Amino acid sequence: MKRKWALLMAGVMAFGMAMTGSAAEAETNTDLSGTLEVWGWTTDPEYQIEAFEKAYPNVTVNYTMIGTDYDTKMQTIVDNRTEGPDVFYADVKTVKNYIESDAWETLTDDPYNIDVSDSEDYTVKLGSDSDGNVKALSYQATPGGFWYKRDLAKKYLGTDDPDEISEMLSTTEGMLDVAEKLKEGSNGETHMFASYKDLWQFANYGMRSVAWVDGNKFQMDDYIPEFFDLAKTVRDNDYDAKIDTWSEAWYASCADDSVFGYAEPTWGLQYVIQTGAPDSEGNWGIASMPAAYFNGGSYLGVYQESQNKELAAEYVKFVCTNKDFLTQYANDKGDYTSLKSVNKEIADSGYEESWCAGQNTFKFFSDQMDKINTDIVTKYDDTIGNLMLNNVDLYLNGQLDKDAAIAQFKDDVASNYRRLDVE
């Protein structure tokens, strides 16, 4: 990717980094040696391990990538305190499960004393228990926006400027107005969204204001009935292409004119757009939506039963707090990091994302950071959110009316979590 890094790379040179291949070779440390076992569910750690082994040449990291049953296997190991990895990763949707299971060491206490003062505040909060003990850290922060196709924006909206598109999408009504313009201008060929569920990507942590669960009590946010209405408006007006998220058709829609854009976080560029439309560099922009939100993020910590905890903590420290490494990671991957200083330096450097026609995506995400609300995150979010969407589907398909679908949603929550008080 062709990006302008004049100021940033000057800073990188000052750090004394050496760029070798796809990973940064930070100043080497030969004092530590040993072997680490690291577990995860994606290929992402491979980049991190390559950089870590270059910085710590006497350490070998064995990485085990587990498939779709990763969390089931990991939770079983944690619950039974059986032998497992030294370090393991968790998605934001499961990180609270492992924290409440006391699966990880406290990273900011002796003997590890990892400094998290430069880490984005919400990532530290999500990786901490109810007493504020930091159990897991992330290498990325994941604020979101609306990734749109510039050629379609010019053709049907008269502009592809991110600020102007953001203004159009600043309210729910404005967002629906844009959807109607796209529909009319394209004779129904271009849809605003791939699926109405794209709206849940931002509404989940953008429009809700209370957690699903408080103590043992289930709480349904006042916004939820509004979301049922919004979903029906989108579906009834043909504003979505009715494509399932993560399906082959969903990825393929990135490369044609059937879908205008996608509500995705920082990693949407790398894992959605570049995967689905590898020849579309320069045709994208990112705009804000009616509410700021975040989605996803990988966290990692030191397993309580590890026999190699201090070396494991050094790995977590390197991946999540090493400024040299995370600067190079941002350079190579275009991903927004978990370090405030790195994000600020890149945003202030005049960063230009070639996939977004030179838009400073780091500045965009930095502007969203202070607006996102992570206070409502719980370990129940993924399951309860999916139960709700299942009943939205029943409503949209005409199998249940709105009131019946909401009542069924509550019944489903009660069935899945019998200890919760569901009214």
Side-chain angles (χ1 to χ4, degrees):
M1 299 179 191
K2 297 179 180 177
R3 300 185 174 103
K4 294 184 178 179
W5 284 83
L7 294 177
L8 175 63
M9 293 313 293
V12 171
M13 291 174 66
F15 295 149
M17 291 175 60
M19 296 167 56
T20 58
S22 62
E25 184 176 356
E27 185 174 339
T28 58
N29 183 322
T30 56
D31 294 336
L32 296 178
S33 61
T35 301
L36 282 176
E37 298 295 331
V38 176
W39 288 10
W41 71 96
T42 70
T43 58
D44 289 358
E46 293 173 357
Y47 174 95
Q48 298 154 6
I49 290 168
E50 179 186 356
F52 180 78
E53 288 184 330
K54 288 178 180 175
Y56 295 83
N58 294 331
V59 177
T60 299
V61 181
N62 296 325
Y63 178 55
T64 300
M65 186 171 73
I66 301 172
T68 54
D69 61 344
Y70 174 76
D71 283 306
T72 300
K73 182 171 184 176
M74 221 32 264
Q75 192 68 54
T76 300
I77 288 173
V78 166
D79 289 344
N80 292 286
R81 286 295 190 268
T82 54
E83 184 178 349
D86 299 301
V87 173
F88 71 91
Y89 287 67
D91 186 81
V92 69
K93 67 185 179 183
T94 58
V95 67
K96 290 297 184 183
N97 286 329
Y98 297 120
I99 290 173
E100 292 186 20
S101 299
D102 197 27
W104 287 309
E105 293 280 291
T106 299
L107 298 170
T108 50
D109 284 357
D110 289 335
Y112 318 120
N113 298 312
I114 296 178
D115 182 3
V116 296
S117 60
D118 192 27
S119 299
E120 294 286 1
D121 295 338
Y122 97 81
T123 64
V124 176
K125 184 174 182 180
L126 285 184
S128 300
D129 64 18
S130 57
D131 295 323
N133 298 306
V134 181
K135 299 293 186 175
L137 291 172
S138 181
Y139 52 91
Q140 56 186 173
T142 57
F146 186 74
W147 301 89
Y148 63 91
K149 297 167 183 172
R150 286 180 179 265
D151 58 347
L152 297 180
K154 286 182 180 179
K155 186 174 182 179
Y156 299 123
L157 305 178
T159 180
D160 68 343
D161 180 80
D163 291 335
E164 294 183 39
I165 301 297
S166 293
E167 181 62 30
M168 293 179 189
L169 304 181
S170 61
T171 64
T172 300
E173 293 76 15
M175 190 168 58
L176 295 175
D177 286 344
V178 169
E180 181 63 25
K181 288 179 181 178
L182 292 165
K183 176 185 172 181
E184 290 183 357
S186 68
N187 294 317
E189 295 297 318
T190 296
H191 305 271
M192 178 79 171
F193 310 103
S195 166
Y196 82 85
K197 294 178 182 178
D198 287 10
L199 291 162
W200 187 243
Q201 296 290 335
F202 94 91
N204 182 24
Y205 292 125
M207 302 299 284
R208 288 193 302 124
S209 58
V210 299
W212 285 119
V213 176
D214 181 17
N216 290 327
K217 184 176 178 59
F218 169 73
Q219 304 179 122
M220 193 176 80
D221 195 287
D222 290 341
Y223 175 74
I224 299 306
E226 293 182 35
F227 184 79
F228 274 74
D229 293 338
L230 177 60
K232 186 164 179 58
T233 297
V234 168
R235 180 55 55 86
D236 286 354
N237 286 280
D238 203 28
Y239 293 157
D240 71 335
K242 306 175 185 63
I243 300 172
D244 290 335
T245 306
W246 305 115
S247 66
E248 289 185 15
W250 185 68
Y251 281 108
S253 70
C254 293
D256 60 34
D257 292 350
S258 63
V259 175
F260 176 57
Y262 308 82
E264 293 291 340
T266 49
W267 46 262
L269 176 62
Q270 182 180 352
Y271 291 105
V272 179
I273 293 170
Q274 293 176 358
T275 300
D279 297 324
S280 64
E281 184 173 0
N283 192 39
W284 296 87
I286 187 166
S288 55
M289 299 185 76
Y293 72 97
F294 85 102
N295 185 26
S298 296
Y299 289 74
L300 54 153
V302 177
Y303 181 40
Q304 285 274 23
E305 301 304 314
S306 167
Q307 301 301 307
N308 206 1
K309 292 179 181 178
E310 291 197 37
L311 186 56
E314 196 67 25
Y315 175 83
V316 175
K317 177 181 178 181
F318 178 87
V319 170
C320 299
T321 70
N322 185 289
K323 189 171 181 179
D324 292 357
F325 165 69
L326 286 171
T327 299
Q328 188 64 38
Y329 169 75
N331 182 11
D332 289 346
K333 301 293 186 179
D335 199 10
Y336 197 75
T337 81
S338 60
L339 286 193
K340 299 174 187 176
S341 61
V342 172
N343 294 333
K344 184 177 188 307
E345 287 173 9
I346 296 176
D348 291 349
S349 73
Y351 177 88
E352 296 185 359
E353 176 51 66
S354 62
W355 279 78
C356 295
Q359 182 179 355
N360 189 337
T361 52
F362 270 77
K363 183 179 187 306
F364 172 85
F365 290 125
S366 293
D367 290 344
Q368 299 294 305
M369 282 297 297
D370 293 337
K371 305 172 188 175
I372 62 176
N373 176 23
T374 60
D375 292 340
I376 60 174
V377 176
T378 72
K379 68 179 182 180
Y380 304 94
D381 296 352
D382 191 54
T383 298
I384 290 180
N386 286 330
L387 293 174
M388 186 208 71
L389 291 173
N390 289 342
N391 285 284
V392 173
D393 278 340
L394 295 176
Y395 173 46
L396 299 186
N397 294 335
Q399 296 172 259
L400 295 174
D401 64 25
K402 178 182 172 183
D403 290 341
I406 291 176
Q408 180 63 54
F409 166 46
K410 292 180 179 179
D411 288 345
D412 290 345
V413 173
S415 297
N416 276 266
Y417 297 104
R418 296 189 180 279
R419 73 172 189 84
L420 294 181
D421 178 16
V422 182
E423 296 181 356

